[in-house]
Amino acid sequence: MENDPTDNFDTAEERALSAALKAPEAQEPMPPRLVAEMRRLLSDVRPASPCVGVRRWLRIAAALAILAAGAGLAATIVANLGGARSAATDSTEDVGQATDDTQQAQTIAATPSSTSSNLPQSPSGVAGSPRRGAEGGTTFSTQGENMNISKTTTRTAAIATASLALAATAQATDLCYRLPSATPYTWDGGIWITHTNKVVHGAVPTASDNVFIWGTGLKADENDAGKPLCVASGEVALTKDFTIGWNGVANSSSNNKILFEVQDGGVMTNAGPVKLGVVEDGYTKQTNPGGLATVRAGGSWVAQNGVTVGASSTGNRNRIVIEQGGEMDAVSGSGDREFIVANVAGHGACVTNAGTLAAYDFFVGGYGNGDFENSGDLTVARKFTIGRQAGSYGHVRHSGGTFSKGTPSTQPVHVGYNGTGVFEVFAPLTLQKNERLVLGGTATGDGTLVLGPNGSINNVTNISVGAFVAGARGHLQMAGGTLTVQALASGSPYALLVGRIGSSGAQQAWGDISGFGTIARDDQERSIRVRLYGQVVADGGDLDLGSIKTVGDNAVNANVCGSNGWYAVNGGRLLYPAAQDFSYAEHTTIGDYVYRGGVGSRADDMDITLVNSLQLRLFDGSGAQLVDGKYNHVALYAADRNDIPGQVPGTASQNDIALGVWRLGHIDKPGDNAGAESVPFDKAWLRFRIDSDAIPEDIDWSQFKVRLYRWDGSAWKVVGTAFGNDLQYVETTTSQPAYSGADADGWNIGWYAAALVRNGATTIVFR
Amino acid sequence: MERGQTENGDAQRRISEFFGEYGERLWNTALKMCHNRSDAEDLTLRTFEQALRKFSLYDESRSPFPWLCGILANLYRMDLRGKARNALDFFADPPDPPDPAPSVPEVIASEADAEAVREALARLPGNYRMLVVLRYFDDLSVPEIAAQLSLPEGTVKRRLHEARALLREDLSRTIGPYGA
């Protein structure tokens, strides 16, 4: 290095930065694949020639892949040419430089080597199966790690595919299937005719032919498995573009659709896009052309350039079902590889009925109304988005099986990106480390994640619940499930972002967490943090956020939170993020984050503002503030719960309002409400930010007061009254003793309640 | 023609040497800039591709490392511009208001653990992250960075200062008792 000696790192901060970046654990060895690529580069590329960069290769490949055929067919052509180029995807094989490949492709294009022209013709004019055995090697991996398609590997495969593509173009024909005289209607056993002139084509489709499946006969009711066109055992079907349900089935009855199956031992490979349900201008249209495609056990379907279920037709006819033992691979290939369930105005559905589906980019609700249910093995290499475009609706239900997604750091799971998305998780869902969830991704996005009773998600480092951009809306609905957040080291960002406000305090985006369930962390030694600019509502059971240790609220000035905050309704109980006592803090704040200690929050944010947040101060026997570094946990109870002692203040008479019931404990365990033991103290001072919006605006204050109550083991007694703007706060007038009731273990600060009650009402209610 | 082939052979030999000496370090530079293995592989590969093509521009009297870093950084900047055009596809944490929080002590970064610093670095905007990596990982001086990126030295210094302030602000929210 030629560093200027005067420009050394002369501050502790700079030295720390440099040391952190150079730490041995932060260095990684070069991947063998990169080393192999470099060796190839340095041995093959001649700098005097224009060298085509990786991205340019990819661009060329992407353009040609529209026309490209299967890699297996490429192998055939390459073999015919003397094996000058290998179609294998092993990146260590010699590919040569791009200019050579381009020339090679052009040579292939000029060579009359199309497989279709060489097909043996059957007496009936139907081709045999000339490709059988030559292109059968269509396999794919379903492991998440392997789904991360590398550019270098893609490049190698793309070059081989590109070579094939130019050859394929010369022979492109649009073909349709005409029924043979008897079932089964097998791919090789039917009569292939031209799409436009309806004349016999005389050969089964090749990888350069576009295939449209429509017309009479290939239809059945929803539950009728009869009369499908099938790729039967031993058949290897190829197409370029493949359309199932084009401009209408012959019978426009609402229950009819085209049926297509890949059966046990059959292999379907499409070099071009696959579309189910297409309405195309310029033709006589049926309203709802539809296709039902099924991959049976032992069947294999490889879509190399994208799949659209419900391309442009409305109705509920478009569906792909992958049965147990069936496989669909929409990863292999080099095109866009977008798997879209419902595009344009289309409706579509896809079901992995215990089967296996591998996709590159997976969108449910492209522009239309899409539905997807996973009970098999779903792997998505890159993007997974539900409700992708404005106006779309996507619904995904994970009811069993596995779900693996690649590129977690750069491509989050989007639920309601531009449109509306609903992601229901009713079975364990294990993601890759460092995954992110975004509920409500853009200004028009509205995303809901539902965690059902047996549902769980883990390895998520960051969840944005309507917190990404202004206008977004996000909802995390807990229905008994568990969300386990991957706790990172000190210094990690907020794990849970709920809602968003601007610098003026105005609400910009909406987020809420509701229901019952648990948000946990995977490492008890590390923290996860929440930033709340929305609402958290325990509804119908325990909503446990006790694993979260801090609540960031660092850009909120006093009194701008409105109704944002913490709630418990319908028998719900909310376990707040726990809070630790700190030596330089005047108060311990729970459910909010105020300026203290000169670090962190804004200096003008001194008050708790989130509804039902609170502050407390503990004292030892000498009257000194207790700072023992222990934790405080708090639960907010819905007033209708029957485990609250006595008559809940605010529920004794009409017009009284119960504003909040809290139970608190000073405990030994960080961020864990289970099994915590009480740590002794002498007295406690508390302040609550109450839900003043629950008080009617026309209340006659000459007759009512807002009071703070404490349960002393036998009765609720008044210990404070409300104050502040709009009576937003209640606090203990004098410090209160530690709770020593029979149920004090772990909850030794005791029970407190705020209520609007009529003046003169009896405030001591015996149990 | 023969001379050209010799020159090409020299270039290949020298770039091979550079790769042997600096390849792994540049790979780690790319990894720290991209925070994505696939992108980092691509960036490293393109760096040496371009070095090979532009070898005639290399000044043999100087260390090759800053030159290679410059190629890598400029390719990374181009990628960032491309990503900016597709901003909706790129997720990042919602940025907090860009207030460097001057009340935060400067030494705060030195008190954070190394992993926290690296994670905070990952959250920096790409252009800032690039400069921090070049300066504090690759040990390039400010003049070297300025020369390789065709930027005034003052601009490099200012952006490094801003990058450190952003890191400080990020770390200030998380280290110490609040996030422990």
Side-chain angles (χ1 to χ4, degrees):
Chain A
M1 304 310 97
E2 298 169 324
N3 286 350
D4 179 348
T6 64
D7 196 30
N8 284 332
F9 309 138
D10 49 14
T11 68
E13 184 179 67
E14 290 185 296
R15 285 191 291 274
L17 264 175
S18 185
L21 292 175
K22 294 172 183 170
E25 67 271 18
Q27 315 312 316
E28 288 195 26
M30 206 180 312
R33 186 170 52 215
L34 179 57
V35 175
E37 279 294 311
M38 286 303 308
R39 285 182 182 143
R40 181 179 303 121
L41 170 75
L42 295 170
S43 62
D44 285 356
V45 177
R46 292 180 290 276
S49 305
C51 178
V52 181
V54 172
R55 291 181 190 279
R56 185 173 166 194
W57 267 323
L58 288 169
R59 281 197 298 273
I60 293 169
L64 292 176
I66 296 170
L67 306 170
L73 185 55
T76 306
I77 292 177
V78 170
N80 289 341
L81 289 167
R85 290 290 179 267
S86 169
T89 55
D90 180 356
S91 63
T92 60
E93 290 196 26
D94 183 14
V95 177
Q97 72 178 90
T99 48
D100 288 348
D101 287 304
T102 306
Q103 290 163 2
Q104 187 68 69
Q106 290 166 347
T107 305
I108 294 170
T111 305
S113 60
S114 165
T115 53
S116 63
S117 62
N118 296 330
L119 298 180
Q121 304 295 308
S122 70
S124 63
V126 177
S129 303
R131 304 164 309 283
R132 208 170 281 161
E135 313 85 14
T138 48
T139 62
F140 62 94
S141 167
T142 59
Q143 297 305 309
E145 283 295 318
N146 295 335
M147 299 292 294
N148 191 359
I149 308 298
S150 78
K151 291 183 174 67
T152 47
T153 303
T154 306
R155 181 182 72 170
T156 311
I159 291 168
T161 318
S163 301
L164 173 67
L166 292 177
T169 355
Q171 300 296 327
T173 308
D174 293 348
L175 299 176
C176 298
Y177 187 84
R178 177 180 288 175
L179 298 178
S181 55
T183 57
Y185 301 148
T186 62
W187 188 268
D188 290 351
I191 301 168
W192 291 97
I193 59 175
T194 59
H195 183 47
T196 49
N197 301 323
K198 310 297 183 292
V199 297
V200 174
H201 178 62
V204 295
T206 70
S208 60
D209 295 325
N210 302 317
V211 171
F212 298 77
I213 306 299
W214 66 293
T216 60
L218 296 167
K219 61 182 185 297
D221 293 339
E222 178 74 34
N223 299 314
D224 184 354
K227 294 185 178 179
L229 165 60
C230 57
V231 179
S233 177
E235 291 187 324
V236 180
L238 294 176
T239 75
K240 186 185 160 205
D241 296 3
F242 186 39
T243 302
I244 306 172
W246 174 84
N247 265 3
V249 294
N251 187 335
S252 61
S253 164
S254 61
N255 287 328
N256 283 283
K257 62 173 75 94
I258 295 292
L259 288 184
F260 171 74
E261 287 186 5
V262 183
Q263 298 183 339
D264 185 11
V267 177
M268 172 93 246
T269 302
N270 315 105
V274 174
K275 295 177 181 177
L276 279 72
V278 173
V279 176
E280 193 171 352
D281 289 336
Y283 297 88
T284 303
K285 297 177 184 176
Q286 297 285 350
T287 306
N288 293 317
L292 168 60
T294 305
V295 186
R296 302 288 184 192
S300 176
W301 188 347
V302 184
Q304 297 181 327
N305 205 349
V307 177
T308 306
V309 188
S312 52
S313 73
T314 57
N316 297 317
R317 295 175 167 193
N318 305 297
R319 181 182 295 262
I320 289 180
V321 179
I322 307 162
E323 301 283 7
Q324 185 170 17
E327 295 180 344
M328 184 163 194
D329 170 10
V331 172
S332 301
S334 56
D336 284 345
R337 288 171 292 164
E338 292 184 340
F339 197 117
I340 303 171
V341 184
N343 204 24
V344 195
H347 287 212
C350 182
V351 178
T352 62
N353 191 6
T356 299
L357 171 61
Y360 184 66
D361 289 338
F362 193 74
F363 305 117
V364 180
Y367 284 91
N369 189 333
D371 191 79
F372 173 72
E373 174 151 7
N374 180 47
S375 62
D377 297 325
L378 170 68
T379 54
V380 177
R382 204 171 66 136
K383 296 181 179 180
F384 181 72
T385 301
I386 306 168
R388 185 189 187 196
Q389 303 290 2
S392 68
Y393 175 80
H395 171 250
V396 171
R397 182 182 175 93
H398 175 69
S399 56
T402 64
F403 169 42
S404 174
K405 178 183 162 296
T407 60
S409 299
T410 55
Q411 299 291 347
V413 173
H414 279 290
V415 183
Y417 185 58
N418 286 308
T420 300
V422 177
F423 189 13
E424 294 181 325
V425 178
F426 283 80
L429 195 159
T430 300
L431 298 168
Q432 283 192 41
K433 291 278 187 185
N434 302 317
E435 186 56 87
R436 298 177 175 198
L437 295 175
V438 181
L439 313 180
T442 69
T444 57
D446 190 325
T448 301
L449 172 63
V450 181
L451 271 174
N454 297 311
S456 63
I457 300 179
N458 62 3
N459 287 337
V460 177
T461 59
N462 184 292
I463 310 148
S464 168
V465 186
F468 191 17
V469 297
R473 297 182 66 82
H475 321 277
L476 174 54
Q477 293 182 0
M478 307 293 288
T482 299
L483 177 64
T484 303
V485 178
Q486 183 187 342
L488 298 177
S490 172
S492 59
Y494 293 104
L496 186 56
L497 300 126
V498 184
R500 183 174 180 84
I501 63 171
S503 57
S504 67
Q507 194 82 32
Q508 290 186 334
W510 177 254
D512 59 74
I513 302 173
S514 61
F516 59 99
T518 303
I519 298 179
R521 56 180 165 165
D522 68 347
D523 185 342
Q524 296 303 311
E525 301 303 315
R526 292 180 166 183
S527 64
I528 56 177
R529 309 198 314 152
V530 60
R531 185 167 68 189
L532 179 63
Y533 297 141
Q535 292 184 349
V536 178
V537 184
D539 188 347
D542 280 2
L543 181 58
D544 186 353
L545 278 67
S547 280
I548 300 172
K549 286 178 65 179
T550 56
V551 177
D553 188 16
N554 63 336
V556 182
N557 292 316
N559 305 321
V560 296
C561 275
S563 62
N564 290 345
W566 313 87
Y567 298 86
V569 298
N570 301 324
R573 184 176 73 142
L574 172 69
L575 297 163
Y576 289 76
Q580 190 177 12
D581 293 333
F582 303 119
S583 59
Y584 50 83
E586 185 181 0
H587 311 99
T588 296
T589 301
I590 296 169
D592 207 326
Y593 193 75
V594 300
Y595 183 79
R596 57 185 180 181
V599 175
S601 189
R602 291 170 53 139
D604 55 355
D605 182 17
M606 296 296 292
D607 294 320
I608 51 176
T609 50
L610 291 168
V611 173
N612 289 325
S613 59
L614 59 139
Q615 291 178 309
L616 64 86
R617 204 183 309 165
L618 302 178
F619 303 96
D620 62 19
S622 69
Q625 185 171 349
L626 182 67
V627 182
D628 56 9
K630 300 299 183 184
Y631 292 82
N632 303 289
H633 66 169
V634 180
L636 173 67
Y637 284 65
D640 60 353
R641 284 178 67 103
N642 58 15
D643 54 352
I644 302 172
Q647 174 78 51
V648 177
T651 62
S653 63
Q654 196 175 16
N655 297 325
D656 288 1
I657 297 174
L659 295 171
V661 181
W662 295 268
R663 193 183 188 195
L664 307 92
H666 188 53
I667 54 172
D668 59 340
K669 294 182 69 173
D672 187 347
N673 289 284
E677 292 186 4
S678 293
V679 175
F681 67 95
D682 188 59
K683 289 187 174 177
W685 170 93
L686 297 102
R687 172 185 291 174
F688 298 86
R689 162 64 161 92
I690 59 172
D691 182 13
S692 55
D693 287 351
I695 301 171
E697 289 186 1
D698 58 351
I699 193 78
D700 181 358
W701 286 110
S702 67
Q703 297 188 43
F704 288 87
K705 275 188 178 176
V706 174
R707 293 187 170 111
L708 178 65
Y709 298 82
R710 174 178 176 272
W711 177 255
D712 69 356
S714 59
W716 289 99
K717 293 183 177 175
V718 175
V719 293
T721 55
F723 67 96
N725 293 334
D726 301 324
L727 299 178
Q728 289 181 331
Y729 299 98
V730 289
E731 68 180 27
T732 52
T733 307
T734 59
S735 296
Q736 299 297 307
Y739 179 60
S740 57
D743 57 346
D745 190 26
W747 300 95
N748 59 343
I749 302 175
W751 294 90
Y752 287 82
L756 176 78
V757 292
R758 188 176 294 273
N759 290 336
T762 301
T763 55
I764 301 177
V765 183
F766 291 95
R767 205 173 187 182
Chain B
M1 185 66 181
E2 189 174 310
R3 184 183 170 193
Q5 284 177 344
T6 305
E7 286 174 352
N8 294 340
D10 286 346
Q12 279 183 294
R13 181 179 54 77
R14 292 289 286 141
I15 295 297
S16 293
E17 290 169 0
F18 293 169
F19 177 67
E21 189 167 355
Y22 304 113
E24 186 141 319
R25 192 162 173 192
L26 282 167
W27 151 248
N28 276 281
T29 297
L31 201 56
K32 286 173 174 55
M33 286 185 188
C34 299
H35 279 273
N36 175 300
R37 295 179 65 86
S38 180
D39 287 348
E41 283 182 29
D42 189 56
L43 184 58
T44 309
L45 191 61
R46 285 188 293 143
T47 297
F48 282 98
E49 268 183 347
Q50 191 156 125
L52 197 55
R53 276 193 287 146
K54 297 191 172 179
F55 185 73
S56 60
L57 302 176
Y58 168 57
D59 180 354
E60 288 274 8
S61 67
R62 292 180 174 271
S63 166
F65 187 69
W67 178 64
L68 292 168
C69 280
I71 294 173
L72 186 146
N74 281 301
L75 289 170
Y76 177 70
R77 289 165 83 191
M78 285 194 290
D79 291 349
L80 283 181
R81 291 186 195 117
K83 280 184 179 172
R85 285 192 291 271
N86 299 299
L88 281 181
D89 284 338
F90 182 74
F91 175 80
D93 247 3
D96 284 323
D99 175 4
S103 64
V104 177
E106 188 179 80
V107 295
I108 200 160
S110 66
E111 294 173 349
D113 66 55
E115 190 177 352
V117 171
R118 291 192 292 271
E119 288 173 354
L121 177 68
R123 295 189 289 273
L124 271 186
N127 271 323
Y128 286 122
R129 188 163 65 236
M130 174 186 70
L131 290 176
V132 170
V133 171
L134 291 174
R135 179 72 183 101
Y136 300 111
F137 176 63
D138 292 321
D139 286 335
L140 264 60
S141 66
V142 168
E144 282 174 328
I145 297 171
Q148 295 301 334
L149 299 181
S150 302
L151 291 172
E153 287 186 28
T155 301
V156 174
K157 283 182 180 172
R158 177 172 55 78
R159 290 186 184 171
L160 278 170
H161 175 77
E162 291 169 352
R164 289 197 305 271
L166 286 169
L167 279 173
R168 208 177 299 142
E169 162 68 4
D170 189 318
L171 290 165
S172 73
R173 291 200 304 265
T174 51
I175 67 166
Y178 292 100

